[in-house]
């Protein structure tokens, strides 16, 4: 059994004055400003190599570590700080008689603060450097000083990132040039996390080079901000963290995002970003509970659509692409989009902001905002509307992790890029690829990218560049089709002349009009509900009969359906035929593929096998 060391006692002190600091950084951002402050507090500066040069170039006095230790750097710089005068100065316990005696006997001075960051090992690997160069970028002295300083945090302060500099200065300014034990503990904890992540990256890379599975995976998180709660009010505490040495993918410009808001934002942003890339058109999505209620690209509206969406043809013609895309996305299923989280692929302009202003919505994510648009959005919901700006240069890790009930799942991120080729390379129905129009291919892409970010099982229906029905999270695929199909039928019937002619009383709110139209189409009122519903109209509407609905739906055509996995039976296609489906995109791979293909041929549908399953959980 290993021998367990006992604690070494020393002076109990909360505030420890900083008199000497050791600085050795590869990331030199902000280091001159910090050291200028330390110099103003009469802190002696020790430094090495490039850091010492930068400080001297800024007119700051500093002592080379080699002069301080009396030992020159050697072995191509591999040995700089591995010396008793360095580590003794960091590890010596203040107020411990034996330590004080040993330090005096060996000429070891106290070092109160270490400011460092580590060689950029991960960046070196990411650039595809040779094995030998990666090895050379494994830091030895840095982690050693880091651990020595962190271990002796009762007396020494370890600073490992430029984002700590202001906090350190503020603490020293408030404590007559000293740091508090609370700050030193906080810094030590972060330092050990950095050390663990650094060693994990080295171990993972090294074992991969040997063709072996990594023996350990260490992921270190940096808390960014607290959340009010998690999915539910009783799930506290809750917070958002970033991976250490990485950034969050969004910047919060306004409001306070919640747990589900951020889940919606991440998925909604990825969806519109991919739609933009795949179609070349401005894209938008409307999310609720981590599935899209709607998604669309910028395709001009028909006059009938204008009437159904409460926009004049003249106004619609003037809409910018971003505004047009969101107007379509929101009107896929405006009842479900109530209180949505929006995403737009392009910079949000005033037109788009004005559309959002009149809708009940929680927030938006986009790559940027014009000043006019941002001012409009910031005023929404009494200033609480959430505005996130997506970072264009953010690149997520290729492997993603999730913790559930004591288990950590990992998988390659679903980074498959849906393209035109997926829709055209394997058309299995009669007529082949020649039976696909450009509009049909576009709608296949829109529907397939949409189901990629919809909770499985899922199917989606698209027409004219917009989703017109999304079925999410059902155990049976045909139930997904029926659920989404009901939404498609509602979308169509919102364009029925009797629906467009509903004569609302003045003052009926927009969302109430939306809900009233849907209930008119559904028609299954209770007596109590009917009384309240009829009170919204100047003239009580005549019922929309089943016969009228069926007759109107006979005109439905040109709809696309996409499924996140194969259709196991023809029943889904049979149902899809009732709501105007002409095009089908699905992965294929079922033993029933021949039967499903024959069913599509029976109905004159064109079907493509994409060979890509898109489950999303």
């Amino acid at each position: 059994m290993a021998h367990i060391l006992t604690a070494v006692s020393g002076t109990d002190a909360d505030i420890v004055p900083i008199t000497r600091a050791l600085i050795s950084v590869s990331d030199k951002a902000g280091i001159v400003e910090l050291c200028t402050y330390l110099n103003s507090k009469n802190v002696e500066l020790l430094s090495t190599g490039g850091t010492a040069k930068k400080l001297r170039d800024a007119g700051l006095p500093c002592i080379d570590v080699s002069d301080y230790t009396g030992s020159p750097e050697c072995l191509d710089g591999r040995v700089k700080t591995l010396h008793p005068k360095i580590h003794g100065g960091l590890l010596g316990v203040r107020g411990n008689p034996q330590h004080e005696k040993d330090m005096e006997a060996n000429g070891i001075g106290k070092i109160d603060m270490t400011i460092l960051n580590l060689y950029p090992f991960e960046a070196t690997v990411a650039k595809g450097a040779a094995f030998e160069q990666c090895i050379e970028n494994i830091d030895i002295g840095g982690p050693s000083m880091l651990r020595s300083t962190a271990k002796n945090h009762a007396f020494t302060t370890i600073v490992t990132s430029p984002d700590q500099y202001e906090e350190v200065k503020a603490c020293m300014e408030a404590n007559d040039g000293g740091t508090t034990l609370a700050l030193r503990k906080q810094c030590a904890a972060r330092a050990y996390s950095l050390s663990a992540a650094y060693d994990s990256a080295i171990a993972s890379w090294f074992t991969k080079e040997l063709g072996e599975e990594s023996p350990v995976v260490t992921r270190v998180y940096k808390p960014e901000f607290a959340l009010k709660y998690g999915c539910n009010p009783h799930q506290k505490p809750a917070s958002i963290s970033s991976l250490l040495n990485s950034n969050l993918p969004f910047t919060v410009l306004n409001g306070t995002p919640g747990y589900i808001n951020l889940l919606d934002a991440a998925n909604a942003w990825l969806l519109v970003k991919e739609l933009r890339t795949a179609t070349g058109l401005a894209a938008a999505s409307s999310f609720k509970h981590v599935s899209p209620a709607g998604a669309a690209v910028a395709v001009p509206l028909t006059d009938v659509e204008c009437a159904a969406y409460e926009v004049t043809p003249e106004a619609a013609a003037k809409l910018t692409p971003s505004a047009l895309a969101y107007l379509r996305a929101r009107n896929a299923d405006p009842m479900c989009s109530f209180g949505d989280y929006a995403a737009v692929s392009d910079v949000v302009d005033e037109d788009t902001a004005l559309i959002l202003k009149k809708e009940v919505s929680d927030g938006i994510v986009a790559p940027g905002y014009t000043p006019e648009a941002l001012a409009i959005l910031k005023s929404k919901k009494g200033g609480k509307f959430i505005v996130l700006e997506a970072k264009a240069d953010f690149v997520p890790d290729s492997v993603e992790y999730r913790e559930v009930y004591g288990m950590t799942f990992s998988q390659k991120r679903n980074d498959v890029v849906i393209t035109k080729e997926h829709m055209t390379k394997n058309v299995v129905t009669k007529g082949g690829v020649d039976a696909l129009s450009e509009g049909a291919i576009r709608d296949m892409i829109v529907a397939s990218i949409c189901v990629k970010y919809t909770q499985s099982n899922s199917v989606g229906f698209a027409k004219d560049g917009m989703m017109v029905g999304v079925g999410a999270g059902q155990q049976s695929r045909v139930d997904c089709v029926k659920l989404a199909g009901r939404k498609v039928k509602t979308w169509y019937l919102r364009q029925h002349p009797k629906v467009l002619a509903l004569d609302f009383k003045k003052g009926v709110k927009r969302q109430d009009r939306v809900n009233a139209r849907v209930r008119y189409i559904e028609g299954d009122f209770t007596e109590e509900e009917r009384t309240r519903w009829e009170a919204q109209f100047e003239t009580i509407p005549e019922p929309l009969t089943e016969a009228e609905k069926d007759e109107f739906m006979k005109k439905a055509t040109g709809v696309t359906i996409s499924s996140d996995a194969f259709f196991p039976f023809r029943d889904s296609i049979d149902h899809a035929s009732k709501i105007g489906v002409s095009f089908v995109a699905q992965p294929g791979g079922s033993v029933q593929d021949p039967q499903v293909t024959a069913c599509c041929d029976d109905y004159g549908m064109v079907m493509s096998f994409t060979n890509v399953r898109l489950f999303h959980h």
Side-chain angles (χ1 to χ4, degrees):
M1 182 176 177
H3 175 61
I4 298 176
L5 301 176
T6 57
V8 179
S9 61
T11 302
D12 291 329
D14 180 18
I15 309 299
V16 174
I18 306 300
T19 60
R20 180 179 290 122
L22 172 59
I23 307 103
S24 180
V25 294
S26 56
D27 178 0
K28 296 177 176 57
I31 195 61
V32 169
E33 292 78 5
L34 176 60
C35 289
T36 299
Y37 175 80
L38 294 176
N39 182 60
S40 74
K41 296 295 183 182
N42 298 315
V43 177
E44 184 178 79
L45 306 178
L46 309 179
S47 192
T48 62
T51 305
K53 182 179 184 303
K54 187 169 184 67
L55 297 182
R56 288 196 185 98
D57 288 347
L60 293 170
C62 69
I63 301 170
D64 280 315
V65 165
S66 58
D67 292 336
Y68 181 75
T69 62
S71 297
E73 292 184 12
C74 60
L75 307 179
D76 289 316
R78 286 187 170 196
V79 178
K80 301 176 186 176
T81 57
L82 298 171
H83 192 281
K85 282 194 172 183
I86 297 299
H87 288 275
L90 296 173
L91 286 166
V93 175
R94 279 55 161 170
N96 180 282
Q98 187 60 51
H99 283 219
E100 299 280 3
K101 181 179 178 181
D102 289 345
M103 292 174 75
E104 184 177 359
N106 290 281
I108 298 172
K110 298 171 184 176
I111 301 174
D112 308 302
M113 177 180 286
T114 304
I115 306 164
L116 61 79
N117 34 70
L118 306 178
Y119 287 176
F121 173 78
E122 291 177 277
T124 305
V125 172
K127 290 178 181 177
F131 182 88
E132 292 76 13
Q133 187 179 1
C134 292
I135 290 293
E136 204 57 41
N137 277 275
I138 296 175
D139 203 333
I140 302 301
S144 300
M145 291 187 291
L146 179 155
R147 294 177 69 87
S148 291
T149 312
K151 178 173 182 174
N152 205 28
H153 65 266
F155 309 101
T156 55
T157 307
I158 176 67
V159 183
T160 55
S161 174
D163 66 17
Q164 295 173 300
Y165 294 172
E166 289 302 318
E167 185 178 12
V168 168
K169 288 195 291 184
C171 183
M172 291 180 63
E173 192 64 28
N175 293 284
D176 198 24
T179 60
T180 63
L181 180 59
L183 176 70
R184 295 193 298 275
K185 283 184 174 181
Q186 179 184 323
C187 290
R190 183 163 173 186
Y192 282 126
S193 296
L194 172 62
S195 178
Y198 194 75
D199 287 340
S200 175
I202 295 168
S204 298
W205 169 79
F206 210 115
T207 51
K208 185 178 179 181
E209 289 293 305
L210 297 176
E212 300 173 4
E213 288 295 318
S214 178
V216 64
V217 175
T218 302
R219 292 173 64 78
V220 181
Y221 297 100
K222 174 191 170 188
E224 294 284 355
F225 53 85
L227 299 173
K228 188 175 180 181
Y229 50 78
C231 282
N232 301 292
H234 63 272
Q235 290 180 263
K236 301 175 184 178
S239 65
I240 289 294
S241 298
S242 62
L243 277 171
L244 193 64
N245 299 323
S246 183
N247 294 315
L248 292 177
F250 310 123
T251 300
V252 180
L253 300 183
N254 195 67
T256 304
Y259 191 97
I260 296 174
N261 292 145
L262 289 167
L263 288 173
D264 280 339
N267 284 272
W269 167 244
L270 288 170
L271 192 160
V272 299
K273 186 179 179 184
E274 291 185 28
L275 277 181
R276 187 64 160 104
T277 300
T279 67
L281 299 170
S285 63
S286 171
F287 259 68
K288 287 284 292 290
H289 291 284
V290 205
S291 281
V297 293
V299 173
L301 299 172
T302 66
D303 286 351
V304 174
E305 286 177 315
C306 287
Y309 305 159
E310 296 190 357
V311 58
T312 66
E314 295 76 20
K318 296 177 182 178
L319 289 176
T320 61
S322 293
L324 179 57
Y326 182 68
L327 181 66
R328 278 195 173 277
R330 179 80 187 204
N331 277 283
D333 186 350
M335 182 179 281
C336 285
S337 282
F338 181 81
D340 71 341
Y341 204 97
V344 177
S345 64
D346 295 15
V347 171
V348 173
D349 49 41
E350 189 173 5
D351 279 3
T352 311
L354 288 171
I355 291 174
L356 269 160
K357 182 181 180 180
K358 65 185 179 182
E359 303 289 5
V360 177
S361 178
D362 279 353
I364 185 172
V365 56
Y369 304 84
T370 65
E372 298 81 5
L374 188 57
I376 291 168
L377 296 174
K378 281 185 172 182
S379 68
K380 188 173 169 62
K381 292 185 70 174
K384 295 181 180 179
F385 187 71
I386 303 161
V387 182
L388 301 181
E389 184 171 81
K391 296 177 181 175
D393 59 351
F394 179 81
V395 179
D397 284 353
S398 60
V399 177
E400 57 188 11
Y401 294 80
R402 180 189 301 183
E403 291 185 17
V404 179
Y405 197 56
M407 299 178 288
T408 300
F409 294 78
S410 67
Q411 64 173 355
K412 180 179 180 291
R413 193 170 61 86
N414 188 3
D415 56 4
V416 62
V417 178
I418 302 298
T419 65
K420 179 178 180 178
E421 185 182 1
H422 286 100
M423 309 307 157
T424 58
K425 67 183 177 182
N426 192 15
V427 180
V428 295
T429 45
K430 294 175 182 178
V433 69
D434 292 338
L436 287 176
S437 66
E438 288 299 316
I441 293 169
R442 175 204 60 213
D443 289 351
M444 286 177 155
I445 292 170
V446 169
S448 297
I449 292 176
C450 182
V451 298
K452 180 183 175 185
Y453 292 100
T454 303
Q455 298 298 302
S456 296
N457 286 316
S458 69
V459 301
F461 293 86
K463 182 173 171 61
D464 296 333
M466 67 182 284
M467 300 306 296
V468 293
V470 179
Q474 302 301 303
Q475 290 73 27
S476 163
R477 190 152 304 278
V478 71
D479 281 348
C480 287
V481 174
K482 290 177 179 178
L483 172 62
R486 176 171 60 81
K487 296 173 183 287
V488 176
K489 187 175 180 180
T490 299
W491 176 81
Y492 260 116
L493 290 172
R494 282 163 54 210
Q495 302 170 54
H496 192 285
K498 290 180 74 171
V499 177
L500 297 178
L502 290 174
D503 187 16
F504 288 98
K505 289 180 177 177
K506 187 177 180 179
V508 176
K509 292 182 178 179
R510 177 179 176 80
Q511 190 63 42
D512 290 332
R513 297 195 300 272
V514 166
N515 296 346
R517 292 186 185 106
V518 173
R519 293 300 292 129
Y520 177 59
I521 291 165
E522 293 170 340
D524 54 345
F525 299 103
T526 66
E527 286 305 313
E528 170 62 25
E529 183 184 9
R530 182 181 295 278
T531 299
R532 288 183 288 106
W533 180 80
E534 289 177 347
Q536 300 175 95
F537 301 96
E538 294 288 354
T539 304
I540 296 175
E542 291 294 323
L544 182 61
T545 67
E546 291 302 317
E548 288 173 318
K549 295 177 192 176
D550 292 343
E551 184 63 28
F552 191 79
M553 288 303 299
K554 288 179 181 178
K555 304 173 186 176
T557 187
V559 177
T560 292
I561 182 174
S562 182
S563 176
D564 65 356
F566 61 66
F567 290 112
F569 305 104
R570 63 170 287 158
D571 53 1
S572 293
I573 304 301
D574 287 324
H575 191 80
S577 71
K578 302 174 185 178
I579 46 179
V581 168
S582 302
F583 307 100
V584 181
Q586 61 136 323
S590 168
V591 294
Q592 296 289 340
D593 280 352
Q595 182 191 80
V596 173
T597 302
C599 183
C600 287
D601 282 329
D602 290 343
Y603 290 115
M605 299 178 188
V606 183
M607 182 167 69
S608 295
F609 284 166
T610 64
N611 301 314
V612 179
R613 196 177 80 174
L614 295 170
F615 277 166
H616 184 62
H617 291 287

Short mmCIF file of all heavy atoms in Angstrom, two decimals, residues 139-170:
data_model
loop_
_atom_site.label_atom_id
_atom_site.label_comp_id
_atom_site.label_asym_id
_atom_site.label_seq_id
_atom_site.Cartn_x
_atom_site.Cartn_y
_atom_site.Cartn_z
N ASP A 139 4.48 20.19 -23.04
CA ASP A 139 5.08 21.06 -22.02
C ASP A 139 5.46 20.23 -20.80
O ASP A 139 4.71 19.38 -20.34
CB ASP A 139 4.07 22.13 -21.63
CG ASP A 139 4.74 23.37 -21.04
OD1 ASP A 139 5.83 23.23 -20.48
OD2 ASP A 139 4.15 24.46 -21.16
N ILE A 140 6.65 20.49 -20.27
CA ILE A 140 7.13 19.82 -19.05
C ILE A 140 7.23 20.82 -17.91
O ILE A 140 6.64 20.67 -16.84
CB ILE A 140 8.50 19.15 -19.29
CG1 ILE A 140 8.42 18.15 -20.44
CG2 ILE A 140 8.97 18.46 -18.00
CD1 ILE A 140 7.43 17.03 -20.25
N GLY A 141 7.97 21.89 -18.17
CA GLY A 141 8.17 22.88 -17.11
C GLY A 141 6.88 23.56 -16.71
O GLY A 141 6.64 23.82 -15.52
N GLY A 142 6.02 23.86 -17.68
CA GLY A 142 4.76 24.55 -17.38
C GLY A 142 3.87 23.77 -16.43
O GLY A 142 3.47 24.28 -15.37
N PRO A 143 3.52 22.51 -16.75
CA PRO A 143 2.70 21.73 -15.82
C PRO A 143 3.35 21.54 -14.46
O PRO A 143 2.67 21.48 -13.44
CB PRO A 143 2.52 20.40 -16.55
CG PRO A 143 2.65 20.73 -18.00
CD PRO A 143 3.69 21.80 -18.05
N SER A 144 4.69 21.45 -14.46
CA SER A 144 5.38 21.28 -13.17
C SER A 144 5.20 22.51 -12.30
O SER A 144 4.87 22.41 -11.10
CB SER A 144 6.87 21.01 -13.41
OG SER A 144 7.06 19.84 -14.18
N MET A 145 5.40 23.69 -12.87
CA MET A 145 5.20 24.93 -12.10
C MET A 145 3.73 25.09 -11.73
O MET A 145 3.41 25.55 -10.63
CB MET A 145 5.67 26.13 -12.92
CG MET A 145 7.18 26.19 -13.12
SD MET A 145 7.71 27.73 -13.90
CE MET A 145 7.04 27.55 -15.55
N LEU A 146 2.86 24.74 -12.65
CA LEU A 146 1.43 24.83 -12.39
C LEU A 146 1.05 24.01 -11.16
O LEU A 146 0.38 24.49 -10.24
CB LEU A 146 0.66 24.36 -13.63
CG LEU A 146 -0.87 24.33 -13.62
CD1 LEU A 146 -1.39 24.44 -15.06
CD2 LEU A 146 -1.42 23.06 -13.00
N ARG A 147 1.50 22.77 -11.13
CA ARG A 147 1.12 21.88 -10.02
C ARG A 147 1.79 22.31 -8.71
O ARG A 147 1.18 22.22 -7.64
CB ARG A 147 1.48 20.43 -10.38
CG ARG A 147 0.66 19.90 -11.55
CD ARG A 147 1.08 18.49 -11.94
NE ARG A 147 0.70 17.53 -10.91
CZ ARG A 147 -0.50 16.94 -10.85
NH1 ARG A 147 -1.44 17.23 -11.74
NH2 ARG A 147 -0.75 16.06 -9.90
N SER A 148 3.03 22.75 -8.80
CA SER A 148 3.71 23.22 -7.58
C SER A 148 2.97 24.42 -6.99
O SER A 148 2.72 24.49 -5.78
CB SER A 148 5.16 23.59 -7.89
OG SER A 148 5.92 22.45 -8.20
N THR A 149 2.62 25.38 -7.85
CA THR A 149 1.94 26.58 -7.37
C THR A 149 0.55 26.25 -6.84
O THR A 149 0.12 26.76 -5.79
CB THR A 149 1.83 27.62 -8.51
OG1 THR A 149 3.09 27.76 -9.15
CG2 THR A 149 1.39 28.98 -7.97
N ALA A 150 -0.18 25.40 -7.57
CA ALA A 150 -1.53 25.05 -7.14
C ALA A 150 -1.51 24.25 -5.85
O ALA A 150 -2.38 24.45 -4.98
CB ALA A 150 -2.22 24.26 -8.25
N LYS A 151 -0.53 23.38 -5.69
CA LYS A 151 -0.45 22.59 -4.46
C LYS A 151 -0.25 23.51 -3.26
O LYS A 151 -0.84 23.28 -2.19
CB LYS A 151 0.69 21.58 -4.55
CG LYS A 151 0.87 20.76 -3.28
CD LYS A 151 1.88 19.63 -3.44
CE LYS A 151 1.99 18.82 -2.15
NZ LYS A 151 2.86 17.62 -2.31
N ASN A 152 0.55 24.53 -3.44
CA ASN A 152 0.85 25.44 -2.33
C ASN A 152 -0.06 26.67 -2.35
O ASN A 152 0.35 27.77 -1.97
CB ASN A 152 2.32 25.88 -2.41
CG ASN A 152 2.87 26.30 -1.06
OD1 ASN A 152 2.40 25.82 -0.01
ND2 ASN A 152 3.85 27.18 -1.06
N HIS A 153 -1.33 26.46 -2.77
CA HIS A 153 -2.24 27.59 -2.94
C HIS A 153 -2.55 28.32 -1.64
O HIS A 153 -3.07 29.44 -1.66
CB HIS A 153 -3.56 27.12 -3.58
CG HIS A 153 -4.34 26.19 -2.70
ND1 HIS A 153 -4.23 24.82 -2.79
CD2 HIS A 153 -5.21 26.43 -1.69
CE1 HIS A 153 -5.01 24.26 -1.88
NE2 HIS A 153 -5.62 25.22 -1.20
N ALA A 154 -2.22 27.72 -0.52
CA ALA A 154 -2.39 28.44 0.75
C ALA A 154 -1.55 29.72 0.75
O ALA A 154 -1.88 30.68 1.46
CB ALA A 154 -2.02 27.55 1.92
N PHE A 155 -0.50 29.72 -0.08
CA PHE A 155 0.41 30.87 -0.09
C PHE A 155 0.72 31.40 -1.49
O PHE A 155 1.23 32.52 -1.62
CB PHE A 155 1.74 30.49 0.59
CG PHE A 155 1.56 29.85 1.94
CD1 PHE A 155 1.66 28.47 2.09
CD2 PHE A 155 1.26 30.62 3.05
CE1 PHE A 155 1.46 27.87 3.33
CE2 PHE A 155 1.06 30.02 4.29
CZ PHE A 155 1.17 28.64 4.44
N THR A 156 0.46 30.61 -2.54
CA THR A 156 0.85 31.02 -3.88
C THR A 156 -0.36 31.02 -4.81
O THR A 156 -1.30 30.24 -4.65
CB THR A 156 1.93 30.07 -4.45
OG1 THR A 156 1.43 28.71 -4.40
CG2 THR A 156 3.20 30.15 -3.65
N THR A 157 -0.30 31.91 -5.81
CA THR A 157 -1.42 32.10 -6.73
C THR A 157 -1.02 31.63 -8.12
O THR A 157 -0.01 32.10 -8.67
CB THR A 157 -1.81 33.59 -6.81
OG1 THR A 157 -2.04 34.10 -5.49
CG2 THR A 157 -3.06 33.79 -7.66
N ILE A 158 -1.79 30.72 -8.70
CA ILE A 158 -1.53 30.22 -10.05
C ILE A 158 -2.54 30.84 -11.02
O ILE A 158 -3.75 30.71 -10.83
CB ILE A 158 -1.56 28.67 -10.11
CG1 ILE A 158 -1.38 28.18 -11.55
CG2 ILE A 158 -2.84 28.11 -9.51
CD1 ILE A 158 -0.02 28.46 -12.12
N VAL A 159 -2.05 31.52 -12.05
CA VAL A 159 -2.89 32.17 -13.05
C VAL A 159 -2.61 31.53 -14.40
O VAL A 159 -1.46 31.55 -14.86
CB VAL A 159 -2.61 33.69 -13.10
CG1 VAL A 159 -3.55 34.38 -14.09
CG2 VAL A 159 -2.73 34.31 -11.72
N THR A 160 -3.64 30.96 -15.04
CA THR A 160 -3.41 30.13 -16.22
C THR A 160 -4.09 30.62 -17.49
O THR A 160 -3.97 29.98 -18.53
CB THR A 160 -3.88 28.68 -15.95
OG1 THR A 160 -5.24 28.71 -15.52
CG2 THR A 160 -3.03 28.01 -14.89
N SER A 161 -4.80 31.74 -17.42
CA SER A 161 -5.51 32.20 -18.62
C SER A 161 -5.67 33.71 -18.59
O SER A 161 -5.90 34.30 -17.53
CB SER A 161 -6.88 31.54 -18.71
OG SER A 161 -7.63 32.07 -19.78
N PRO A 162 -5.57 34.34 -19.76
CA PRO A 162 -5.78 35.81 -19.81
C PRO A 162 -7.13 36.25 -19.27
O PRO A 162 -7.25 37.38 -18.79
CB PRO A 162 -5.66 36.12 -21.31
CG PRO A 162 -4.76 35.05 -21.85
CD PRO A 162 -5.12 33.82 -21.08
N ASP A 163 -8.14 35.38 -19.31
CA ASP A 163 -9.45 35.81 -18.81
C ASP A 163 -9.50 35.89 -17.29
O ASP A 163 -10.52 36.29 -16.71
CB ASP A 163 -10.58 34.94 -19.36
CG ASP A 163 -10.53 33.50 -18.88
OD1 ASP A 163 -9.83 33.20 -17.88
OD2 ASP A 163 -11.18 32.65 -19.51
N GLN A 164 -8.38 35.53 -16.61
CA GLN A 164 -8.31 35.68 -15.15
C GLN A 164 -7.61 36.98 -14.73
O GLN A 164 -7.64 37.34 -13.55
CB GLN A 164 -7.55 34.49 -14.55
CG GLN A 164 -8.23 33.14 -14.72
CD GLN A 164 -7.34 32.01 -14.24
OE1 GLN A 164 -6.24 31.81 -14.75
NE2 GLN A 164 -7.81 31.26 -13.25
N TYR A 165 -6.98 37.66 -15.68
CA TYR A 165 -6.10 38.77 -15.33
C TYR A 165 -6.86 39.89 -14.62
O TYR A 165 -6.39 40.43 -13.60
CB TYR A 165 -5.40 39.33 -16.57
CG TYR A 165 -4.42 38.39 -17.23
CD1 TYR A 165 -3.82 38.70 -18.46
CD2 TYR A 165 -4.07 37.16 -16.65
CE1 TYR A 165 -2.92 37.85 -19.07
CE2 TYR A 165 -3.17 36.30 -17.26
CZ TYR A 165 -2.59 36.65 -18.47
OH TYR A 165 -1.71 35.80 -19.09
N GLU A 166 -8.03 40.25 -15.12
CA GLU A 166 -8.76 41.35 -14.51
C GLU A 166 -9.21 41.00 -13.09
O GLU A 166 -9.19 41.85 -12.19
CB GLU A 166 -9.97 41.72 -15.37
CG GLU A 166 -9.61 42.40 -16.68
CD GLU A 166 -8.81 43.68 -16.47
OE1 GLU A 166 -9.16 44.45 -15.54
OE2 GLU A 166 -7.83 43.90 -17.22
N GLU A 167 -9.62 39.75 -12.90
CA GLU A 167 -10.05 39.32 -11.56
C GLU A 167 -8.88 39.37 -10.58
O GLU A 167 -9.04 39.79 -9.43
CB GLU A 167 -10.63 37.90 -11.64
CG GLU A 167 -11.21 37.42 -10.32
CD GLU A 167 -11.82 36.02 -10.43
OE1 GLU A 167 -11.58 35.34 -11.45
OE2 GLU A 167 -12.52 35.63 -9.49
N VAL A 168 -7.71 38.96 -11.04
CA VAL A 168 -6.52 38.99 -10.18
C VAL A 168 -6.18 40.43 -9.81
O VAL A 168 -5.93 40.75 -8.63
CB VAL A 168 -5.33 38.30 -10.88
CG1 VAL A 168 -4.03 38.58 -10.13
CG2 VAL A 168 -5.57 36.81 -10.98
N LYS A 169 -6.19 41.32 -10.79
CA LYS A 169 -5.89 42.72 -10.50
C LYS A 169 -6.90 43.32 -9.53
O LYS A 169 -6.53 44.06 -8.61
CB LYS A 169 -5.86 43.53 -11.81
CG LYS A 169 -4.65 43.24 -12.68
CD LYS A 169 -4.46 44.29 -13.77
CE LYS A 169 -5.54 44.23 -14.82
NZ LYS A 169 -5.29 45.20 -15.92
N ALA A 170 -8.18 43.01 -9.75
CA ALA A 170 -9.22 43.55 -8.86
C ALA A 170 -9.03 43.05 -7.44
O ALA A 170 -9.20 43.82 -6.47
CB ALA A 170 -10.59 43.14 -9.39
#
